[in-house]
Amino acid sequence: MQSAPGFTNNPAHKIVISLSSKRCHIFCDDQLIASTENALELDESGYATRYYIPLSDCTQSFFVPSDHTTYCPFKGHARYWSLMVGGRKIKNAVWGYDAPFNECAALKDHVCFYTELEGFDLRAD
């Protein structure tokens, strides 16, 4: 593991990762995709709170590996999955960090969903 270069170049940027006190349910087209009491809340400067769900609490049979990747100088390299739900494929709807930078190491083995996409519903209670 290594330190995130983003914090060296932009020390004012903040990322706070904490265990959520909420139970999170992710639905897509009314199909339950994930449910957990162990979500991580990620609060990052300039962005809305994101919930990272343990991969083990997701129904991975809906996941289709994608070739899409992105890079964040604060979190690391992300890989993506599309979702196949009820015959509908939602491209690159889920991402995770296999080897996040040290400052975001808690994200390992967790995934996040683009819940703002049509058909998604995040319920956190």
Side-chain angles (χ1 to χ4, degrees):
M1 295 179 82
Q2 63 184 40
S3 290
F7 293 109
T8 301
N9 299 330
N10 187 357
H13 191 85
K14 300 292 182 215
I15 293 180
V16 176
I17 301 170
S18 57
L19 184 61
S20 179
S21 62
K22 300 174 182 176
R23 181 169 179 84
C24 291
H25 313 278
I26 307 286
F27 290 86
C28 183
D29 294 340
D30 296 322
Q31 178 69 52
L32 182 64
I33 304 295
S35 182
T36 189
E37 293 179 357
N38 298 302
L40 298 175
E41 288 185 25
L42 185 140
D43 291 302
E44 181 173 2
S45 298
Y47 295 95
T49 298
R50 287 282 186 189
Y51 292 91
Y52 280 77
I53 310 298
L55 193 53
S56 60
D57 290 340
C58 299
T59 306
Q60 295 177 50
S61 60
F62 293 109
F63 288 34
V64 178
S66 170
D67 291 334
H68 184 67
T69 62
T70 57
Y71 173 75
C72 171
F74 302 99
K75 295 186 259 340
H77 293 276
R79 70 173 170 141
Y80 285 72
W81 295 265
S82 297
L83 289 179
M84 184 63 77
V85 180
R88 179 168 83 107
K89 186 175 185 179
I90 304 117
K91 290 183 69 171
N92 305 320
V94 183
W95 73 92
Y97 299 91
D98 291 331
F101 291 128
N102 292 343
E103 296 84 349
C104 294
L107 299 180
K108 184 169 176 32
D109 299 322
H110 288 70
V111 294
C112 193
F113 294 80
Y114 276 119
T115 53
E116 61 271 21
L117 295 174
E118 182 181 341
F120 274 94
D121 184 18
L122 165 66
R123 300 178 196 164
D125 47 36

